[in-house]
């Protein structure tokens, strides 16, 4: 049994920002941070475009960034939260610069990029690997803090609550408490009980529930699923963002390689493979419209034309500047025989970001006592029905900071819970046929991609729900009889995520933001939503 003051599940930008700030303010506290594989692997690492923040106050303003975020969110953002994130974002970015993060400069000033839905240039970036750079600086800083212990290959299985003390907990309970987590140490295959006064869930996204995704293989929605199992609140799961431009690769990379929206911000134009422009048919902002509009337009054009992909034309752009900004994208294209300066780059939409997640308030509190959440696993109210590009790194830092401020005050009033039993693995044995797990995973991704993708309908959603129920029943049986493995836990978690996305989509009888259904193509007015 491990005892710690604070347990942080996840070492992406959200978990690390929180851990670094808390460790710095309270050197007397023990802060335990978990990663399911290693600390270098997370969605954060792959962030390309950058961090959106109002920086040049001569041309930009908080008001403009707020308006752009609300516009992208299509009526479902929480306006107070949007204001908090936009206004506090500037300070948070300054802090990570102080921690050693480099952003590209143009002379003495930061070189501010542009992405879809932004009315001004406000994206701070480091070439096309901003996330890697942020993570590098944070991990360097973490090394200097003796009270942060990062445990790699520590896979959180379940969050501990009254349920584990034998109490019946339902979704109607308002007094659920978190005492820590059961964690599979992948090096010893032993399930550790980690008890904490406060638990912060920062487990990132769930893109792996789809066949094609920009998210790395670790993005299996573990935190969201664990919170759902402990009967905590989640919301807005129907709003899954498909990035319009992942690199089309017939070999089917997992993850799909992203061609950053910043490339369009730099002047690249979406075209068909015959070289015809089409975005003007969908939105006056053309290739730089918000993501939901561009992804749907590409999906529609592909279906209409019977093409497997659409294209990005960069051939008119300056090669030297392009290489300076997008070295990774250039190299990846060249490795596949595509010269971005001459050839059209083939692109397709891919699952990228779940806007919904664990419901949090303005401090990052969840519905569960002594448990907070920040980053991509949450639904903070910032994104509404569609996230504005490059707002998620910002959101993670702002809420990590807000949680830190509350936790350093509150932690001393909380006792570590006693009487928590060790994990019970009785009557389970090693899986005899791994194919049962790998095949179910393939089926799950097929179901979600075919029936719960960019365009939905009642029939497709019903079919998905029926198929998911079968998978759920089979997997729960397997879970009850099999020794735990990361593959089995990820399958179980992703089935939960698939179920939550599908049932949330079934409940929304309108098309809004990222949720488009042919059975209810219109957006409901506020009055209609209330009456429904
Ligand atoms: P992550 O960075 O994903 O970290 C999750 C952590 O949780 C990892 O350490 C993982 O090991 C750990 N974890 C998960 N489950 C468990 C478990 N069961 N047990 C133990 N540990 C666990 N956003 C922007 O704002 N700008 C961009 O330019 C941008 N570009 C992107 C490009 C790509 C290709 C992708 C995939 C995303 C991009 N995003 C971008 C989104 C952004 O990167 C993420 O939303 C953000 O980094 C999420 O940070 P996080 O800390 O919440 O989660
Ligand atoms: C990109 O670089 O296109 C991704 C930005 C984001 O997801 O916010």
């Amino acid at each position: 049994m491990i005892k710690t003051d604070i347990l942080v599940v996840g070492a992406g930008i959200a978990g690390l920002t929180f851990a670094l700030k808390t460790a710095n303010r309270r050197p007397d506290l023990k802060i335990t941070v978990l990663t399911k594989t290693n600390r270098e692997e997370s969605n954060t690492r792959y962030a390309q475009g950058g961090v959106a923040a109002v920086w040049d106050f001569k041309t930009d303003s908080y008001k403009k960034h707020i308006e752009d975020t609300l516009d992208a969110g299509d009526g479902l953002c929480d306006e107070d939260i949007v204001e908090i994130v936009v206004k506090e974002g500037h300070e948070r970015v300054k802090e990570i610069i102080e921690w050693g993060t480099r952003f590209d400069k143009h002379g003495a000033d930061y070189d501010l990029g542009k992405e879809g839905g932004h009315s001004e240039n406000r994206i701070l970036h480091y070439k096309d690997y901003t996330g890697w750079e942020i993570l590098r600086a944070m991990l360097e800083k973490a090394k200097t803090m003796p009270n942060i212990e990062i445990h790699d290959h520590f896979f959180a299985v379940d969050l501990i609550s009254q349920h584990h003390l034998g109490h019946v907990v339902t979704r109607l309970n308002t007094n659920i408490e978190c005492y820590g987590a059961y964690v599979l140490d992948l090096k010893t295959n032993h399930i550790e009980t980690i008890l904490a006064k406060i638990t912060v869930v920062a487990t990132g996204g769930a893109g792996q529930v789809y066949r094609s995704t920009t998210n790395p293989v670790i993005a299996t929605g573990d935190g969201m699923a664990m919170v759902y199992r402990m009967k905590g609140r989640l919301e807005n799961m129907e709003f899954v963002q498909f990035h319009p431009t992942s690199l089309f690769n017939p070999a089917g990379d997992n993850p799909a390689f992203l061609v950053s929206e910043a490339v369009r911000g730099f002047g690249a134009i979406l075209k068909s493979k015959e070289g015809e422009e089409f975005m003007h048919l969908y939105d006056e902002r053309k290739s730089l419209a918000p993501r939901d509009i561009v992804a749907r337009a590409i999906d529609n054009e592909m279906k209409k034309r019977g093409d497997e992909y659409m294209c990005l034309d960069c051939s008119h752009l300056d090669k030297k500047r392009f290489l300076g900004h997008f070295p990774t994208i250039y190299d990846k294209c060249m490795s596949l025989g595509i010269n971005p300066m001459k050839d059209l780059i083939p692109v397709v939409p891919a699952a990228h970001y779940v806007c919904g997640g664990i419901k949090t308030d303005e401090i990052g509190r969840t519905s569960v006592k002594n448990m907070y959440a920040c980053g991509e696993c949450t639904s903070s109210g910032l994104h509404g029905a569609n996230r504005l590009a490059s707002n998620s790194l910002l959101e993670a830092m702002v809420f990590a900071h807000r949680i830190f401020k509350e936790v350093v005050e509150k932690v001393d009033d909380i006792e570590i819970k006693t009487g928590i039993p060790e994990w019970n693995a009785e009557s389970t044995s090693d899986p005899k046929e791994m194919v049962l797990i790998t095949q179910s995973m393939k089926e799950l991704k097929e179901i979600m991609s075919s029936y719960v993708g960019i365009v939905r309908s009642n029939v497709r959603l019903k079919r998905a729900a029926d198929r998911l129920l079968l998978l759920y029943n089979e997997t729960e049986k397997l879970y009850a009889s099999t020794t735990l493995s990361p593959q089995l836990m990820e399958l179980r978690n992703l089935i939960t995520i698939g179920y939550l996305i599908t049932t949330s989509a079934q409940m929304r009888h309108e098309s809004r933001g990222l949720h488009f259904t042919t059975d209810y193509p219109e957006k409901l007015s506020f009055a209609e939503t209330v009456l429904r």
Side-chain angles (χ1 to χ4, degrees):
M1 201 168 271
I2 299 173
K3 289 187 182 168
T4 185
D5 292 302
I6 298 172
L7 173 64
V8 185
V9 190
I13 188 169
L16 285 176
T17 304
F18 168 81
L20 288 171
K21 284 172 168 264
T22 310
N24 184 44
R25 176 74 60 86
R26 292 287 306 268
D28 57 315
L29 295 177
K30 177 175 166 192
I31 299 160
T32 304
V33 182
L34 312 182
T35 82
K36 66 190 274 190
T37 57
N38 60 66
R39 62 197 75 181
E40 282 86 23
E41 185 64 340
S42 57
N43 273 6
T44 300
R45 177 215 168 126
Y46 294 91
Q48 289 189 357
V51 190
V54 179
W55 210 260
D56 180 355
F57 287 90
K58 287 195 292 296
T59 53
D60 201 2
S61 65
Y62 293 138
K63 187 163 174 281
K64 285 187 195 170
H65 190 180
I66 289 170
E67 276 165 10
D68 293 345
T69 303
L70 294 175
D71 183 48
D74 208 5
L76 283 196
C77 299
D78 179 326
E79 295 193 16
D80 294 337
I81 295 291
V82 174
E83 192 173 331
I84 286 173
V85 174
V86 167
K87 290 192 170 164
E88 294 182 10
H90 185 87
E91 273 308 303
R92 302 291 79 82
V93 175
K94 271 169 72 181
E95 279 163 3
I96 63 166
I97 293 173
E98 278 158 26
W99 293 353
T101 305
R102 296 165 294 176
F103 290 116
D104 285 341
K105 285 191 160 176
H106 194 65
D109 298 327
Y110 284 105
D111 177 40
L112 302 173
K114 194 165 185 182
E115 289 180 19
H118 288 275
S119 56
E120 294 294 339
N121 283 44
R122 61 169 77 97
I123 319 291
L124 290 111
H125 57 90
Y126 186 70
K127 307 196 188 303
D128 56 2
Y129 44 99
T130 311
W132 177 91
E133 170 59 14
I134 293 174
L135 205 56
R136 181 201 60 75
M138 288 191 175
L139 287 173
E140 283 293 314
K141 192 164 172 66
K143 276 192 212 154
T144 66
M145 307 214 139
N147 56 333
I148 297 182
E149 268 181 26
I150 303 183
H151 294 271
D152 286 324
H153 305 287
F154 259 50
F155 194 122
V157 177
D158 262 325
L159 295 157
I160 304 172
S161 71
Q162 292 99 322
H163 165 78
H164 298 97
L165 292 169
H167 302 300
V168 176
V169 178
T170 73
R171 281 186 206 290
L172 298 177
N173 280 73
T174 50
N175 62 344
I176 306 172
E177 292 175 358
C178 182
Y179 310 127
Y182 290 116
V183 176
L184 176 62
D185 177 347
L186 296 170
K187 292 187 284 296
T188 60
N189 261 337
H190 176 74
I191 298 197
E192 296 284 353
T193 307
I194 305 188
L195 297 181
K197 296 175 180 170
I198 282 178
T199 303
V200 178
V201 182
T203 43
Q208 285 290 328
V209 76
Y210 288 92
R211 190 178 46 220
S212 176
T213 176
T214 62
N215 292 190
V217 293
I218 59 128
T220 54
D222 300 345
M224 299 180 204
M226 286 191 290
V227 171
Y228 184 74
R229 278 201 292 276
M230 83 186 305
K231 313 282 190 264
R233 278 197 69 188
L234 283 87
E235 66 172 14
N236 283 358
M237 291 295 287
E238 66 273 39
F239 298 114
V240 179
Q241 183 166 75
F242 285 77
H243 197 292
T245 58
S246 77
L247 186 62
F248 173 74
N249 184 346
D253 286 344
N254 186 17
F257 181 81
L258 182 74
V259 182
S260 174
E261 204 154 297
V263 176
R264 275 174 281 140
F266 194 74
I269 297 168
L270 281 165
K271 294 187 174 169
S272 69
K273 63 183 185 193
E274 286 77 30
E276 258 176 71
E277 287 189 40
F278 57 90
M279 274 310 301
H280 59 283
L281 303 171
Y282 298 90
D283 195 282
E284 58 185 16
R285 290 163 286 186
K286 299 185 191 166
S287 293
L288 278 176
R291 242 171 232 183
D292 53 340
I293 297 170
V294 182
R296 243 183 338 263
I298 293 180
D299 185 66
N300 192 43
E301 290 292 321
M302 280 166 47
K303 286 187 178 135
K304 213 168 68 184
R305 295 165 187 263
D307 287 345
E308 281 186 295
Y309 55 82
M310 300 310 278
C311 298
L312 260 183
D313 186 359
C314 304
S315 59
H316 54 290
L317 302 174
D318 179 73
K319 180 173 176 185
K320 192 159 168 263
R321 288 191 61 226
F322 187 92
L323 265 167
H325 275 79
F326 308 113
T328 321
I329 295 171
Y330 182 86
D331 286 349
K332 176 71 184 184
C333 288
M334 292 298 274
S335 76
L336 297 174
I338 303 160
N339 181 344
M341 305 301 41
K342 289 195 182 124
D343 308 321
L344 293 175
I345 305 175
V347 290
V348 280
H352 185 61
Y353 189 94
V354 184
C355 291
I358 304 159
K359 183 163 172 41
T360 50
D361 69 5
E362 74 286 357
I363 306 289
R365 288 181 284 232
T366 68
S367 62
V368 176
K369 210 170 150 206
N370 300 336
M371 191 177 88
Y372 298 75
C374 49
E376 188 165 341
C377 63
T378 64
S379 174
S380 70
L382 176 70
H383 309 308
N386 175 39
R387 176 177 69 98
L388 182 67
S390 287
N391 261 357
S392 47
L393 296 171
L394 193 72
E395 176 196 38
M397 291 187 287
V398 167
F399 285 104
H401 174 82
R402 291 186 144 239
I403 297 170
F404 139 76
K405 273 183 36 193
E406 166 149 317
V407 162
V408 289
E409 299 297 327
K410 217 182 132 182
V411 63
D412 299 320
D413 304 333
I414 302 168
E415 299 279 319
I416 288 187
K417 190 76 178 172
T418 53
I420 302 289
E422 295 282 355
W423 181 264
N424 181 359
E426 264 172 36
S427 333
T428 60
S429 55
D430 289 343
K432 290 185 187 61
E433 293 197 278
M434 273 309 273
V435 68
L436 297 178
I437 297 174
T438 52
Q439 202 52 35
S440 293
M441 186 67 103
K442 276 192 202 150
E443 274 179 55
L444 169 66
K445 288 172 187 248
E446 283 304 319
I447 293 167
M448 293 304 290
S449 304
S450 304
Y451 305 130
V452 203
I454 295 177
V455 176
R456 299 158 179 181
S457 71
N458 286 346
V459 176
R460 289 184 206 174
L461 292 175
K462 165 87 171 69
R463 187 170 266 221
D466 292 347
R467 302 266 189 294
L468 286 172
L469 186 61
L470 280 176
L471 276 182
Y472 171 78
N473 287 330
E474 285 169 5
T475 308
E476 286 308 293
K477 262 195 215 146
L478 202 60
Y479 178 76
S481 60
T482 311
T483 327
L484 283 188
S485 64
Q487 293 89 336
L488 179 56
M489 290 185 289
E490 290 182 344
L491 172 64
R492 199 168 172 243
N493 290 336
L494 282 175
I495 291 173
T496 301
I497 299 297
Y499 163 81
L500 290 171
I501 295 173
T502 307
T503 48
S504 306
Q506 283 180 308
M507 284 190 277
R508 185 166 287 282
H509 292 179
E510 63 167 346
S511 290
R512 181 190 290 276
L514 296 158
H515 173 70
F516 183 83
T517 158
T518 51
D519 287 295
Y520 310 102
E522 305 298 328
K523 193 158 34 184
L524 291 181
S525 66
F526 179 67
E528 285 168 323
T529 317
V530 173
L531 287 172
R532 184 164 63 87

